[in-house]
């Protein structure tokens, strides 16, 4: 569908101005959107284009249309055109939407930086490769929360677990056995890897393993969530 097919319905959409909201409002927006029926929608007012929110709502069946009415005022209309279960890649970077509480320009810079890094068609390396590089960089810096998120995204996107074997072997080589044993081994990153390997040996389907990963290492897990 296109905006032209549902533009007449936008006057009835609930309007939510998030420009001065603080805290974890993105999760609430997604929950509210998930309750809407086909043909219903939301109008979100923000100081920049909320690209991560586009992806999150598209994942559950929404289309969007954006209008910029001032330098730091964007009206985004989200219309539900179908009901989807939202089984796509987890961990959209919704925490970026909280940056405007620090500074509005910083918020726009952060979201635009994410879009350029992860969404631009000018990127050469495959998405899965960039996720693995991000995983390795995060683990090397001791950011196991981020590393675990990248692992789950990579596997959910179709990466073969044999590639993860190579990654952990290289982490042990580059970081040293001591660091690997004391920091990586007990981390949620390695626990997610162990879940994948164990359930694959049990003959579980990838879709079932992905559901288990999202359940145990999703946003509700305090060791993983960044919201």
């Amino acid at each position: 569908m296109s905006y032209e097919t549902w533009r007449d319905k936008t006057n009835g959409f609930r309007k939510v101005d998030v420009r001065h909201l603080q805290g974890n409002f993105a999760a609430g927006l997604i929950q509210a959107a998930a309750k809407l029926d086909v043909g219903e929608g939301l109008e979100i007012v923000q100081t920049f284009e909320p690209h991560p929110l586009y992806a999150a709502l598209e994942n559950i069946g929404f289309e969007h249309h954006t209008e910029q009415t001032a330098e730091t005022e964007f009206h985004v209309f989200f219309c539900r055109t179908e009901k989807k279960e939202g089984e796509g890649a987890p961990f959209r970077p919704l925490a970026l939407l909280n940056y405007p509480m620090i500074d509005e320009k910083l918020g726009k810079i952060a979201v635009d930086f994410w879009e350029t890094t992860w969404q631009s068609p000018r990127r050469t390396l495959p998405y899965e490769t960039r996720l693995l590089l991000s995983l390795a960089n995060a683990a090397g810096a001791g950011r196991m929360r981020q590393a675990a998120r990248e692992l789950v995204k990579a596997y959910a996107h179709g990466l073969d677990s044999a590639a993860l074997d190579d990654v952990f072997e290289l982490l042990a080589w580059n970081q040293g056995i001591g660091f690997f044993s004391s920091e990586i081994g007990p981390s949620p990153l390695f626990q997610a890897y162990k879940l994948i390997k164990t359930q694959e040996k049990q003959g579980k389907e990838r879709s079932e393993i992905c559901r288990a990963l999202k359940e145990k290492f999703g946003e509700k897990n305090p060791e993983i969530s960044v919201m």
Side-chain angles (χ1 to χ4, degrees):
M1 298 177 69
S2 66
Y3 171 61
E4 297 301 323
T5 64
W6 50 265
R7 65 181 302 173
D8 292 340
K9 299 179 181 179
T10 58
N11 287 335
F13 288 0
R14 174 189 169 195
K15 185 174 182 179
V16 184
D17 190 338
V18 300
R19 286 175 291 181
H20 304 294
L21 293 184
Q22 297 184 5
N24 183 10
F25 65 83
L29 289 177
I30 295 172
Q31 291 174 1
K35 297 176 182 178
L36 298 178
D37 291 325
V38 172
E40 297 180 328
L42 296 170
E43 177 186 354
I44 307 299
V45 185
Q46 181 57 292
T47 57
F48 55 86
E49 279 201 78
H51 294 286
L53 195 59
Y54 292 170
L57 293 188
E58 179 182 350
N59 195 41
I60 58 174
F62 282 81
E63 293 182 357
H64 73 270
H65 171 75
T66 303
E67 297 178 1
Q68 183 175 3
T69 58
E71 182 179 358
T72 58
E73 182 172 332
F74 291 81
H75 292 249
V76 187
F77 300 89
F78 291 96
C79 181
R80 192 163 209 174
T81 57
E82 61 178 315
K83 284 201 172 183
K84 297 166 63 176
E85 293 299 322
E87 288 294 330
F91 300 131
R92 301 293 184 182
L94 298 174
L96 291 177
L97 301 178
N98 291 325
Y99 273 91
M101 74 176 65
I102 303 172
D103 182 89
E104 291 183 355
K105 289 185 177 180
L106 177 61
K108 183 179 186 306
I109 291 170
V111 172
D112 288 347
F113 190 17
W114 171 81
E115 185 194 20
T116 300
T117 301
W118 291 103
Q119 301 292 309
S120 173
R122 293 177 296 176
R123 302 284 74 82
T124 300
L125 291 174
Y127 179 66
E128 300 95 319
T129 302
R130 287 184 286 127
L131 284 172
L132 292 183
L133 287 172
S134 184
L135 183 163
N137 286 330
R143 298 196 303 272
M144 299 304 168
R145 183 195 304 260
Q146 178 191 351
R149 293 165 67 89
E150 306 296 47
L151 182 147
V152 175
K153 284 190 287 186
Y155 189 78
H157 198 264
L159 186 78
D160 194 296
S161 66
L164 297 176
D165 298 344
D166 290 352
V167 168
F168 282 98
E169 183 179 78
L170 288 168
L171 286 174
W173 170 259
N174 285 285
Q175 300 299 325
I177 294 299
F179 181 86
F180 190 96
S181 300
S182 65
E183 302 298 329
I184 296 179
S187 71
L189 167 65
F190 198 70
Q191 297 308 307
Y193 168 69
K194 286 171 61 177
L195 184 151
I196 292 171
K197 300 298 290 187
T198 299
Q199 295 205 358
E200 283 189 344
K201 288 182 179 179
Q202 294 172 353
K204 300 288 182 64
E205 296 290 335
R206 177 180 289 268
S207 58
E208 188 175 355
I209 298 174
C210 286
R211 284 194 294 272
L213 285 169
K214 292 176 185 178
E215 179 181 345
K216 294 185 178 182
F217 300 97
E219 292 288 0
K220 293 181 181 180
N221 185 329
E223 291 186 285
I224 304 296
S225 176
V226 297
M227 292 296 290

Coordinates of all heavy atoms in Angstrom, one line a residue, residues 68-98:
Q68 N 8.0 17.1 7.5 CA 8.8 18.1 8.3 C 8.1 19.4 8.2 O 8.0 20.0 7.2 CB 10.2 18.1 7.8 CG 11.1 19.0 8.6 CD 12.6 19.0 8.2 OE1 12.9 18.3 7.2 NE2 13.4 19.7 8.9
T69 N 7.7 19.9 9.4 CA 7.0 21.2 9.5 C 7.9 22.3 10.0 O 7.5 23.5 9.9 CB 5.8 21.1 10.3 OG1 6.2 20.7 11.7 CG2 4.8 20.1 9.8
A70 N 9.0 22.0 10.5 CA 10.0 23.0 11.0 C 11.4 22.3 11.1 O 11.5 21.1 10.9 CB 9.6 23.6 12.3
E71 N 12.4 23.1 11.4 CA 13.7 22.6 11.4 C 13.8 21.4 12.4 O 14.5 20.4 12.1 CB 14.8 23.6 11.8 CG 16.2 23.1 11.8 CD 17.2 24.2 12.2 OE1 16.8 25.4 12.4 OE2 18.4 23.9 12.2
T72 N 13.2 21.5 13.5 CA 13.2 20.4 14.5 C 11.8 19.9 14.9 O 11.5 19.7 16.0 CB 14.0 20.9 15.8 OG1 13.3 22.0 16.3 CG2 15.4 21.2 15.5
E73 N 11.0 19.8 13.9 CA 9.6 19.3 14.1 C 9.2 18.4 12.9 O 9.1 18.8 11.8 CB 8.6 20.4 14.3 CG 7.2 19.9 14.6 CD 6.3 21.0 14.9 OE1 6.7 22.0 15.5 OE2 5.0 20.8 14.7
F74 N 9.1 17.1 13.3 CA 8.7 16.1 12.3 C 7.4 15.4 12.8 O 7.3 15.1 13.9 CB 9.8 15.0 12.1 CG 11.0 15.5 11.5 CD1 12.0 16.2 12.2 CD2 11.2 15.2 10.1 CE1 13.1 16.6 11.6 CE2 12.4 15.7 9.5 CZ 13.3 16.4 10.2
H75 N 6.4 15.3 11.8 CA 5.2 14.6 12.1 C 5.2 13.3 11.3 O 5.3 13.3 10.1 CB 4.0 15.4 11.7 CG 3.8 16.7 12.6 ND1 2.7 16.8 13.4 CD2 4.5 17.8 12.7 CE1 2.8 18.0 14.1 NE2 3.9 18.6 13.6
V76 N 5.2 12.2 12.0 CA 5.3 10.9 11.4 C 3.9 10.2 11.6 O 3.5 9.9 12.7 CB 6.4 10.0 11.9 CG1 6.5 8.7 11.1 CG2 7.7 10.8 11.9
F77 N 3.3 9.8 10.5 CA 2.0 9.1 10.5 C 2.3 7.6 10.3 O 2.9 7.2 9.3 CB 1.1 9.6 9.5 CG 0.7 11.1 9.6 CD1 1.5 12.1 9.0 CD2 -0.3 11.5 10.4 CE1 1.3 13.4 9.2 CE2 -0.6 12.9 10.6 CZ 0.2 13.8 9.9
F78 N 1.8 6.8 11.3 CA 2.0 5.3 11.2 C 0.6 4.7 11.0 O -0.3 5.0 11.8 CB 2.6 4.7 12.4 CG 4.1 5.1 12.6 CD1 4.5 6.2 13.4 CD2 5.1 4.4 11.9 CE1 5.8 6.5 13.6 CE2 6.4 4.7 12.1 CZ 6.8 5.8 12.9
C79 N 0.4 4.0 9.9 CA -0.9 3.3 9.7 C -0.6 1.8 9.6 O 0.3 1.3 8.9 CB -1.5 3.8 8.4 SG -3.1 3.0 8.1
R80 N -1.5 1.1 10.4 CA -1.3 -0.4 10.3 C -2.1 -0.9 9.1 O -3.3 -0.8 8.9 CB -1.9 -1.0 11.6 CG -1.5 -2.5 11.7 CD -1.7 -3.1 13.1 NE -0.8 -4.1 13.3 CZ -0.7 -4.7 14.5 NH1 -1.4 -4.3 15.5 NH2 0.2 -5.7 14.7
T81 N -1.3 -1.5 8.2 CA -1.9 -2.0 6.9 C -2.0 -3.5 6.9 O -2.7 -4.1 6.1 CB -1.0 -1.6 5.7 OG1 0.3 -2.1 5.9 CG2 -1.0 -0.1 5.6
E82 N -1.4 -4.2 7.9 CA -1.6 -5.6 8.1 C -1.1 -6.0 9.5 O -0.4 -5.2 10.2 CB -0.7 -6.4 7.1 CG 0.8 -6.2 7.2 CD 1.6 -7.0 6.2 OE1 1.3 -8.2 6.1 OE2 2.5 -6.4 5.5
K83 N -1.5 -7.2 10.0 CA -1.1 -7.6 11.3 C 0.0 -8.7 11.1 O -0.2 -9.7 10.5 CB -2.2 -8.2 12.1 CG -3.1 -7.1 12.7 CD -4.0 -7.6 13.8 CE -4.7 -6.5 14.5 NZ -5.5 -7.0 15.7
K84 N 1.2 -8.4 11.6 CA 2.3 -9.3 11.5 C 2.8 -9.6 13.0 O 2.6 -8.8 13.9 CB 3.5 -8.6 10.8 CG 3.1 -8.3 9.3 CD 4.1 -7.4 8.6 CE 5.5 -8.0 8.5 NZ 6.4 -7.1 7.8
E85 N 3.4 -10.8 13.1 CA 3.8 -11.3 14.4 C 5.1 -10.6 14.9 O 5.4 -10.8 16.0 CB 3.9 -12.8 14.4 CG 2.6 -13.5 14.2 CD 1.6 -13.2 15.3 OE1 2.0 -13.1 16.4 OE2 0.4 -13.1 14.9
G86 N 5.8 -9.9 14.0 CA 7.0 -9.2 14.5 C 8.1 -10.2 14.7 O 8.8 -10.0 15.7
E87 N 8.3 -11.1 13.9 CA 9.4 -12.1 14.1 C 10.7 -11.7 13.4 O 11.6 -12.5 13.2 CB 9.0 -13.5 13.5 CG 7.9 -14.2 14.4 CD 8.4 -14.6 15.7 OE1 9.6 -14.9 15.9 OE2 7.6 -14.6 16.7
G88 N 10.8 -10.5 13.0 CA 12.0 -10.1 12.3 C 13.2 -9.9 13.3 O 13.1 -10.3 14.4
A89 N 14.3 -9.3 12.8 CA 15.5 -9.2 13.6 C 15.2 -8.4 14.9 O 14.5 -7.4 14.9 CB 16.6 -8.5 12.8
P90 N 15.7 -8.9 16.0 CA 15.4 -8.2 17.3 C 16.4 -7.0 17.5 O 17.3 -6.8 16.7 CB 15.7 -9.3 18.3 CG 16.8 -10.1 17.6 CD 16.5 -10.1 16.2
F91 N 16.1 -6.3 18.6 CA 17.0 -5.3 19.1 C 17.2 -4.1 18.2 O 18.3 -3.7 17.8 CB 18.4 -5.9 19.4 CG 18.4 -7.0 20.4 CD1 19.1 -8.2 20.2 CD2 17.8 -6.8 21.6 CE1 19.1 -9.2 21.2 CE2 17.8 -7.8 22.6 CZ 18.4 -9.0 22.4
R92 N 16.1 -3.5 17.8 CA 16.2 -2.3 17.1 C 16.7 -1.2 18.1 O 16.4 -1.3 19.3 CB 14.8 -1.8 16.6 CG 14.1 -2.8 15.7 CD 14.8 -2.9 14.3 NE 14.1 -3.8 13.4 CZ 14.6 -4.1 12.2 NH1 15.7 -3.6 11.8 NH2 13.9 -4.9 11.4
P93 N 17.5 -0.3 17.6 CA 18.2 0.6 18.6 C 17.3 1.7 19.1 O 17.5 2.9 18.8 CB 19.4 1.2 17.7 CG 18.8 1.2 16.3 CD 17.9 -0.1 16.2
L94 N 16.2 1.4 19.7 CA 15.2 2.4 20.1 C 15.7 3.3 21.2 O 15.2 4.4 21.4 CB 13.9 1.6 20.6 CG 13.2 0.8 19.5 CD1 12.1 0.0 20.1 CD2 12.8 1.7 18.4
A95 N 16.8 2.8 21.9 CA 17.3 3.7 23.0 C 17.9 5.0 22.4 O 18.0 6.0 23.1 CB 18.5 3.0 23.7
L96 N 18.2 5.0 21.1 CA 18.6 6.3 20.4 C 17.6 7.4 20.5 O 17.9 8.5 20.5 CB 19.0 6.0 19.0 CG 20.2 5.1 18.7 CD1 20.4 4.9 17.2 CD2 21.5 5.8 19.3
L97 N 16.3 6.9 20.6 CA 15.2 7.9 20.6 C 15.2 8.7 21.9 O 14.5 9.7 22.0 CB 13.9 7.2 20.4 CG 13.7 6.4 19.1 CD1 12.4 5.7 19.0 CD2 13.9 7.3 17.9
N98 N 16.0 8.3 22.9 CA 16.0 9.1 24.1 C 17.1 10.2 24.2 O 17.1 11.0 25.1 CB 16.3 8.1 25.3 CG 15.2 7.1 25.6 OD1 14.0 7.5 25.4 ND2 15.5 5.9 25.9

